[in-house]
Amino acid sequence: MTIDEFISSSHILHRSFSELIRENGKTVIDASCGPSVSCLGRSQPEIFDAINAHLRNDIAYVYSSSPYTNGATEELAEMLLAYKPDGLSKAIFATDAALKNTIGALCVSGHASRREFYQDLMSANVSFVDPCYAYRMKDQDESDQAIVERLSRQFEDEILRVGPDRVAGFIAETVSGTTLGCLPAVSGYFKAIREICARYDVLLILDEIICGMGKTGPDIQTIGKALGAGFVPLYGVLLHEKVFQALSSGSGGLAHACTAAIAAQKIIKRDNLIERCAYMGQKLETLLRKEIGLLPLVGDIRGRGLFWAVEFVLDKKAKTLFPGQVKFCSQVVKKSLDMGLNILGNLGHTGKYQVDHILVCPPYTVTGSELGDIISLLKIAIIETSRPFLAEQDNFQVIAIAARKRFAIWFQAIV
């Protein structure tokens, strides 16, 4: 691997050593918001002003175990939980309060390529069930209801195997992010999981750090990324009232920069960006299915709102995976960036699935014409990246046809 000269000389430890795109005057359309973070774009003067005012006039930090509070923290919690959505009533703004530490979070992650570096530190009291990955996990002619029943039965069997009194919680992303690629569960899956959790008194923890905030009725919900729109590194945990009551009647507490988030959430509400996401998301889906879905090496297109993925395969009918060393999606990402389009590719694999996909998750403020530009550039990038693979397939088909002809001639000769 050749290390980029700038990366070698920089004092920043960059996550990728092979290449870095530097300033060269070219315009780049950001169709990924980083890792789906900068949902309001790169510049919002209102948020900058709010941060500056807070630093000048308010307490910048209050320890959560102290008897004091912070006005910005209280206001943000009120904005999120004023109507107690699905019984969620308390918030703590920290990156890891749901599982208390970073290793704890990694222990319940299905991100196999990240876990492998820390195997010796992984907890032994975590088990995994299959993801609701209908594109690859559905049996032939299996309905959505049937796969829901099969996977929920697997989950219940795992609870019974471990012992209901020993299972603390079930954690899952409502829409998978960078490993399985904007993968929503089929309709009815989380409702079935919710019912099983309630039956065995197991906490339902929904990880919605990357995909937004859903309405599945969790006991604990993690939020982030779009919460602060990328202007501050802010994440949070929302608790159901029953969890708070358990904490207050037990230990009595939880040992563990909201101003920018308030400004971001005010913009989202003022400009009706949630509703706009649904509307623009339909446009994005239509463009993806019409312009990208018919390309030879595109196997699946999936997502919700402005959070979509394209999965690539060598053969559509057989859903054949690319060999791991090919990294087709990385080639598409590089080709796109060369043309001025920033998208996100697969960042690792989970379990037995190495999914070759790219993410298209533009900011909430994206326009219709910008969506058109994004899809046009993406289409060219996929077509250009596909050429050598399609040429190989054509050559193979020519060889196969010639072999069949030789066999036919030989067979006729001996008959």
Side-chain angles (χ1 to χ4, degrees), residues 352-412:
K352 60 183 178 182
Y353 297 110
Q354 175 66 47
V355 185
D356 239 310
H357 68 78
I358 55 94
L359 268 58
V360 181
C361 37
Y364 299 172
T365 53
V366 69
T367 65
S369 63
E370 288 170 340
L371 286 180
D373 292 340
I374 288 169
I375 298 304
S376 295
L377 291 170
L378 177 60
K379 184 175 182 178
I380 295 171
I382 295 173
I383 290 173
E384 291 297 319
T385 307
S386 300
R387 290 192 193 282
F389 298 92
L390 296 176
E392 288 179 10
Q393 291 180 5
D394 290 341
N395 290 337
F396 177 79
Q397 290 172 0
V398 169
I399 293 170
I401 291 170
R404 285 196 295 269
K405 287 181 177 179
R406 287 196 299 270
F407 175 80
I409 294 171
W410 171 81
F411 184 76
Q412 289 173 358

Side-chain angles (χ1 to χ4, degrees), residues 137-143 150:
M137 294 194 61
K138 259 189 179 182
D139 294 332
Q140 190 173 7
D141 300 323
E142 186 177 31
S143 66
R150 176 163 61 87

Side-chain angles (χ1 to χ4, degrees), residues 150-171:
R150 176 163 61 87
L151 293 178
S152 58
R153 185 166 56 249
Q154 181 195 51
F155 173 50
E156 185 169 15
D157 288 346
E158 183 65 9
I159 291 177
L160 295 174
R161 184 193 70 81
V162 174
D165 59 331
R166 299 180 64 240
V167 179
F170 172 78
I171 182 168

Side-chain angles (χ1 to χ4, degrees), residues 89-200:
S89 64
K90 301 292 179 182
I92 179 170
F93 298 106
T95 58
D96 56 6
L99 293 165
K100 208 64 202 88
N101 62 68
T102 303
I103 288 296
L106 187 59
C107 285
V108 300
S109 169
H111 201 305
S113 47
R114 287 178 181 168
R115 289 170 57 88
E116 66 182 353
F117 294 109
Y118 306 96
Q119 282 301 325
D120 293 342
L121 301 176
M122 293 293 99
S123 172
N125 66 344
V126 176
S127 61
F128 294 88
V129 293
D130 290 330
C132 192
Y133 188 8
Y135 176 65
R136 292 199 176 276
M137 294 194 61
K138 259 189 179 182
D139 294 332
Q140 190 173 7
D141 300 323
E142 186 177 31
S143 66
D144 284 355
Q145 181 179 356
I147 192 174
V148 166
E149 291 174 355
R150 176 163 61 87
L151 293 178
S152 58
R153 185 166 56 249
Q154 181 195 51
F155 173 50
E156 185 169 15
D157 288 346
E158 183 65 9
I159 291 177
L160 295 174
R161 184 193 70 81
V162 174
D165 59 331
R166 299 180 64 240
V167 179
F170 172 78
I171 182 168
E173 287 183 297
T174 50
V175 181
S176 179
T178 56
T179 52
L180 293 179
C182 300
L183 175 66
V186 300
S187 178
Y189 173 77
F190 277 106
K191 181 180 180 181
I193 295 296
R194 167 75 279 177
E195 291 172 353
I196 293 171
C197 285
R199 187 182 310 150
Y200 294 102

